[in-house]
């Protein structure tokens, strides 16, 4: 395990690991879901709206202000740097061309989903691979995916989860998790494969709806065995944030030519910053039309969330526990950088 030079980031990450959500004077989770996260995958990769996060671009965050190690192998990290890509898909089922990243301080995850029918929005992801930090509860870590199948209503326990032993995955013990609920027609449908990728650390493949006739167990095992881990590749941003805030979650989705990105921060106060290209704005969707202005640009405000349209080609959203306007003014958007990122 490699330490980080400079500021005592390990202590910060350990503290954040014990407290997964950044502190704040408001329910930032609710504020984010009310706006920004609606944009990301229309879930909660998910979610999105104009609150999409400014995070995807070309600006490389100062390297790893957190403990970073290869997550596969004989040991696992106690925390992750949200601004570092750890995972990449190997094999995925056909039809899942949209991609996303969902990183926190206690998990690293990648997602895949169908190409959206409407360029303004993202379909919900149907596949996620999640690696948890050592000691992290994998149930709580990472993105959710949609229910594996649709079914009729029935008198059965909702979210009744069944666990059974699975073959080893890359040498680690593994289990299948099945869901039995009204949405599955009350029959057990395998929805997750989880395995111990290092002592005390678990990973999971979560698979939602698939074409009829798919061997779900075979597909999940193939995904798990082919995923590449320990990449340690810095994630780039399309913007600069002048305030000294600490990233605690990074979420992005891309289904070319559209994309969106969001970063949640701790530090001076809990904040979330998001962005997406103005060209794919849904003026009549969840974010709502412009109803005010900010520094001369059209904008939309919902509670603590402020979305400014047309910031050098981006719609930028900010929601902070304190002084959203100040954080918005601290953001700059290097045009060529985000164009390079969205093209890549």
């Amino acid at each position: 395990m490699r330490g980080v030079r400079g500021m005592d980031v390990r202590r910060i990450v350990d503290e954040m690991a014990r407290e997964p959500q950044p502190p704040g004077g408001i329910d930032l989770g609710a504020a984010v879901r009310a706006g920004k996260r609606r944009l990301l995958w229309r879930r909660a990769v998910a979610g999105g709206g104009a609150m999409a996060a400014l995070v995807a671009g070309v600006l490389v965050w100062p390297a790893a202000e957190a403990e970073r190690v290869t997550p596969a192998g004989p040991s696992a990290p106690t925390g992750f740097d949200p601004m570092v890509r750890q995972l990449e898909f190997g094999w995925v089922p056909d039809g899942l061309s949209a991609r996303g990243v969902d990183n926190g301080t206690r998990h690293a995850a990648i997602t895949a989903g169908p190409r959206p029918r409407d360029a303004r929005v993202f379909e919900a992801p149907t596949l996620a691979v999640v690696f948890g930090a050592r000691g992290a509860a994998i149930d709580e870590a990472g993105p959710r995916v949609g229910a594996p199948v649709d079914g009729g209503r029935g008198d059965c326990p909702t979210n009744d989860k069944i666990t059974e032993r699975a073959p080893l995955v890359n040498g680690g013990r593994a289990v299948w998790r099945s869901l039995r609920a009204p949405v599955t027609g009350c029959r057990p449908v395998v929805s997750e494969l989880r395995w111990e990728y290092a002592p005390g650390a678990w990973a999971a493949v979560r698979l939602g709806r698939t074409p009829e006739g798919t061997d779900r167990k075979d597909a999940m095992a193939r995904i798990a065995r082919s995923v590449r881990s320990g990449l340690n590749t810095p994630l780039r941003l399309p913007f600069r944030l002048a305030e000294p805030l600490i990233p605690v979650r990074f979420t992005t989705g891309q289904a070319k030519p559209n994309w969106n990105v969001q970063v949640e921060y701790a530090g001076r106060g809990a904040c979330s910053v998001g962005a997406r290209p103005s060209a794919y704005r849904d003026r009549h969707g969840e974010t709502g039309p412009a109803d005010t202005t900010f520094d001369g640009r059209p904008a939309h405000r919902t509670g603590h969330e402020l979305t400014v349209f047309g910031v050098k080609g981006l719609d930028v959203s900010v929601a902070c526990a304190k002084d959203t306007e100040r954080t918005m003014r601290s953001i700059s958007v290097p045009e060529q950088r985000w164009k390079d990122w969205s093209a890549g």
Side-chain angles (χ1 to χ4, degrees), residues 39-292:
L39 205 170
L40 300 175
W41 291 112
R42 279 239 187 252
R43 108 183 139 90
V45 178
M51 190 65 193
L54 294 184
V55 185
V58 166
L59 175 62
V60 176
W61 193 263
E65 294 190 349
E67 183 177 44
R68 284 194 283 155
V69 299
T70 301
S75 63
T78 57
F80 291 100
D81 181 348
M83 300 306 298
V84 172
R85 186 184 185 94
Q86 300 282 352
L87 308 172
E88 185 56 87
F89 286 112
W91 179 85
V92 298
D94 292 339
L96 303 184
S97 60
R99 294 288 186 270
V101 175
D102 186 330
N103 287 342
T105 60
R106 295 287 276 166
H107 76 274
I110 49 177
T111 60
R115 190 169 188 80
R117 292 181 292 271
D118 185 333
R120 298 172 299 177
V121 299
F122 286 93
E123 301 290 340
T126 56
L127 170 63
V129 176
V130 184
F131 275 55
R134 186 166 66 247
I138 196 69
D139 282 333
E140 306 298 325
R144 308 288 105 185
V145 299
V149 294
D150 292 328
R153 296 287 177 180
D155 296 327
C156 61
T158 300
N159 296 328
D160 183 17
K161 295 180 180 177
I162 303 164
T163 301
E164 60 178 308
R165 186 174 178 179
L168 298 180
V169 174
N170 299 329
R173 58 180 174 150
V175 295
W176 302 112
R177 300 267 287 178
S178 296
L179 175 68
R180 180 170 57 198
V183 294
T184 70
C186 294
R187 59 188 182 88
V189 177
V190 63
S191 60
E192 181 179 286
L193 169 63
R194 61 175 62 174
W195 72 99
E196 192 174 28
Y197 72 89
W202 289 79
V205 170
R206 296 170 183 154
L207 186 60
R209 193 180 186 92
T210 56
E212 188 174 352
T214 300
D215 186 326
R216 297 177 59 81
K217 287 185 175 180
D218 180 73
M220 280 188 267
R222 189 173 176 185
I223 293 165
R225 290 176 179 135
S226 66
V227 70
R228 294 186 293 137
S229 60
L231 300 185
N232 288 335
T233 304
L235 291 161
R236 301 176 297 173
L237 302 176
F239 68 95
R240 288 190 178 99
L241 182 64
E243 295 193 1
L245 302 179
I246 301 167
V248 294
R249 188 158 188 172
F250 172 100
T251 313
T252 187
Q254 186 172 60
K256 290 182 178 180
N258 200 3
W259 56 265
N260 57 54
V261 65
Q262 175 179 316
V263 186
E264 296 174 25
Y265 294 95
R268 181 182 59 81
C271 279
S272 183
V273 179
R276 70 179 300 173
S278 300
Y280 301 101
R281 179 189 316 144
D282 182 357
R283 285 190 176 276
H284 304 289
E286 297 174 14
T287 302
D291 56 10
T292 186

